[in-house]
Amino acid sequence: MLTRSYSSTILLLGSIALFSHSRVYGQNNAVYQTEPLKQSMIAEFALEYEQADIALKNYTYLATHTDSTIAKQRALDVALAQNDLDDALKIVQHWVKQDPKDVPALFYLTHIALKSHRYALTASTLENILSIDSDADLGEILAGISPENEKDRQTLLNALRQSKAQNNPAILVLIASLESQNNEIEQALKDVQKALIKRPYVTSFILLKANLLETLGNQKATEEWYASASYNHKSNLEIRLAEVKYLIKISKPELALTRLEKILNNFPKAEEALFIAGLTSIDLQRYDDAENYLVQLKNSSQYQNDASYYLAINAERKQHYETAITYYRLVDGSLYTVSRRNLINIFYKQNRLFDALRFLTQERVNYPQHASFLYQLQADILKKMNNKPAAIELLNEAIHNLPDDPDLIYAQVLLLDPYQQRDLLEQDLDKLLKIDENNPAYLNAYAYTLALQNRRLDDARHYAQQALENAPDQASILDTYGFVTFLQNDYKVAIPALEKAFTNNHSLSTGLRLAQALYLNGNNQKFNQIAEQLKIEFKHDPQLDQLNQLIPPTLKKANNDASIH
């Protein structure tokens, strides 16, 4: 790799030397160099040693004192990488001065002028480009560097509107883009329409009009425009697919699929069309059609994983579970975890949990990069098999292999008994806070554990408050905070927190804590309301016995048998 890097550098330097003939000045300790090759070598090696200022000075000098286009491009790359817009502007203005009709140089100048907020220069340079090539594609000029505030956009708009090229279709579309950002949608639509009159076949113009109509909320006009554009541009796959996506967006999947069938008649190997047709067919429960579309993408470099995943979904909906498992096992990349979860769910349905465990063990061998996720899946299966000790033992093994993985540690925290395994639990919680001291889930787990153990309540309150600062409306954290403050007999804080938590989660355990807090605080009317609500919503739950056996008002401590989140 190093050899290849230096080989590319030598080719670059040789190209600069070939086109450069003047003496240049080395900017390192005032050393004079007599050849451009030496000067550019200094610059390249300066870049290697992260001395960008030396490299930029050398390349700026080369760019402004030689005829080498390569030197100018390299100088611009270095200047833009350093966000040195002044030097970049100096370089590109010299380039344009040397060759006023060099369109790439003019594009560079437009880009840099726009980036440095030189809007008059931007407009005049665009005018120059269009005087040389009236069909120049200016569509990407604003990409990524469009003015961010309304004042700058208005300044650029005014400059473009005063340009001699203001009626050029490309300029009209640039103006429309800026107007749409300023929420001047109606005016933007008029300007795009003017551009379309002159250039009715430009894809970006057609799609911009569609987007503007959609932004106005005119569904009928948008749909009609897409239909007309697709009819008039049958050979334009991009426009026709844009119509399909809009039809799906407005909940017209049957019509979208009809359009897709026509598209595939004209473009039988269009991968995006095949993929969308497959997904739309699944949604419409046309499973055989979906399989026919998606199976054609099994060797696609772009859609292979997605196609395998949705072929599995399709097979699962047809209750062809073995086929679904086969397809899920082919999935990799970003869909790996969700595919394996779905696969394990099939094993659950078939009561094949031991097969699931063996499969996941083999997956850890085949996909070591997903080991943490796979360990957690196995632990979850063991927990559902009522074998919590085996799940904890497995997670111990996992943490030994991946000691700094917070997800594994947190998974073990959720399994440990707060009374029987208190030391290991506290050790794990301390590890989590060292890894991420502001994580609300970790803080909440620590606070809740201490509350269950009814110890270090000041620490528990601090952790719960800190968690609330990072996730103020999360019901489980509000419940923990209410639980801790309830144990501290601080009912003025506990009751509002528990009320808010219960409103959000409607959990029986939260409701019971709230009822106890209200009862002990003497709020009998509210207590009765909550008690009746709980009896209605959870009428068959044995935990409701607590309502009939509430501790007397003289007792100031909470029941340590409170249920775990």
Side-chain angles (χ1 to χ4, degrees), residues 228-493:
S228 172
S230 293
Y231 179 80
N232 292 324
H233 305 280
K234 291 185 175 67
S235 61
N236 192 316
L237 180 60
E238 187 177 354
I239 290 173
R240 295 180 71 179
L241 283 177
E243 180 194 13
V244 165
K245 292 172 187 176
Y246 181 70
L247 290 170
I248 293 171
K249 186 176 180 178
I250 61 173
S251 302
K252 292 191 175 183
E254 296 90 350
L255 182 55
L257 193 56
T258 300
R259 295 281 198 271
L260 283 163
E261 288 165 354
K262 292 179 179 178
I263 289 171
L264 288 167
N265 285 334
N266 299 120
F267 304 93
K269 296 190 181 298
E271 293 189 345
E272 187 177 5
L274 285 166
F275 183 64
I276 298 172
L279 268 59
T280 307
S281 297
I282 291 175
D283 288 341
L284 293 173
Q285 299 181 13
R286 292 171 56 173
Y287 300 127
D288 291 339
D289 289 340
E291 184 174 2
N292 177 54
Y293 291 128
L294 293 171
V295 79
Q296 296 180 61
L297 298 169
K298 63 181 180 180
N299 296 319
S300 165
S301 59
Q302 182 176 357
Y303 289 101
Q304 184 180 45
N305 274 321
D306 300 84
S308 295
Y309 177 76
Y310 286 104
L311 280 165
I313 294 287
N314 193 59
E316 195 173 352
R317 292 195 182 177
K318 292 166 71 175
Q319 298 186 356
H320 295 174
Y321 295 124
E322 292 306 315
T323 302
I325 288 173
T326 299
Y327 278 123
Y328 278 134
R329 293 185 69 166
L330 294 174
V331 178
D332 199 356
S334 62
L335 290 170
Y336 177 85
T337 55
V338 67
S339 68
R340 287 347 184 241
R341 285 190 190 279
N342 290 355
L343 190 156
I344 296 303
N345 284 336
I346 294 175
F347 281 129
Y348 276 128
K349 289 177 185 177
Q350 298 178 325
N351 197 27
R352 295 167 56 194
L353 298 185
F354 286 106
D355 288 342
L357 288 171
R358 283 192 290 271
F359 166 75
L360 291 170
T361 299
Q362 185 59 46
E363 283 287 282
R364 284 196 275 115
V365 175
N366 297 338
Y367 298 92
Q369 68 272 30
H370 295 295
S372 172
F373 163 74
L374 296 165
Y375 271 123
Q376 290 172 68
L377 271 186
Q378 285 183 296
D380 190 56
I381 291 171
L382 290 167
K383 180 184 174 184
K384 289 180 179 177
M385 293 171 72
N386 294 317
N387 196 348
K388 192 181 285 189
I392 293 171
E393 184 179 347
L394 178 72
L395 289 172
N396 269 330
E397 174 194 327
I399 292 168
H400 178 75
N401 294 332
L402 301 165
D404 296 320
D405 189 302
D407 292 334
L408 288 172
I409 300 169
Y410 187 63
Q412 182 168 264
V413 161
L414 297 178
L415 289 175
L416 294 173
D417 186 284
Y419 309 108
Q420 302 299 322
Q421 293 157 309
R422 172 171 150 177
D423 292 341
L424 180 55
L425 182 54
E426 190 158 352
Q427 177 184 315
D428 280 350
L429 288 165
D430 285 333
K431 278 185 190 175
L432 286 174
L433 290 189
K434 284 180 181 176
I435 292 170
D436 186 355
E437 63 181 1
N438 293 314
N439 186 299
Y442 304 161
L443 290 162
N444 186 53
Y446 211 150
Y448 194 75
T449 298
L450 292 173
L452 286 174
Q453 296 167 350
N454 201 9
R455 69 187 186 90
R456 292 175 54 195
L457 294 181
D458 287 342
D459 288 340
R461 184 166 183 160
H462 170 72
Y463 291 146
Q465 284 175 324
Q466 196 174 343
L468 276 176
E469 288 174 7
N470 296 314
D473 296 317
Q474 193 166 313
S476 61
I477 299 175
L478 286 163
D479 183 32
T480 298
Y481 186 54
F483 185 21
V484 172
T485 51
F486 169 77
L487 292 172
Q488 293 179 315
N489 301 322
D490 189 353
Y491 303 126
K492 288 184 179 179
V493 173

Side-chain angles (χ1 to χ4, degrees), residues 204-218:
S204 59
F205 295 7
I206 292 167
L207 297 181
L208 178 56
K209 180 176 177 179
N211 289 335
L212 291 170
L213 288 169
E214 184 180 356
T215 303
L216 284 173
N218 194 334

Side-chain angles (χ1 to χ4, degrees), residues 172-205:
L172 283 167
V173 168
L174 286 179
I175 289 172
S177 297
L178 292 164
E179 287 169 338
S180 67
Q181 291 177 60
N182 276 354
N183 206 31
E184 301 172 35
I185 309 300
E186 295 281 3
Q187 184 57 47
L189 198 55
K190 291 177 184 177
D191 286 324
V192 170
Q193 189 58 45
K194 288 179 187 176
L196 280 165
I197 290 170
K198 297 183 179 183
R199 304 234 184 109
Y201 299 103
V202 180
T203 301
S204 59
F205 295 7

Side-chain angles (χ1 to χ4, degrees), residues 85-104:
L85 298 179
D86 290 337
D87 271 348
L89 199 56
K90 185 196 306 181
I91 293 162
V92 76
Q93 283 179 315
H94 177 79
W95 187 354
V96 169
K97 186 177 180 180
Q98 279 186 328
D99 190 351
K101 293 188 177 182
D102 188 321
V103 173

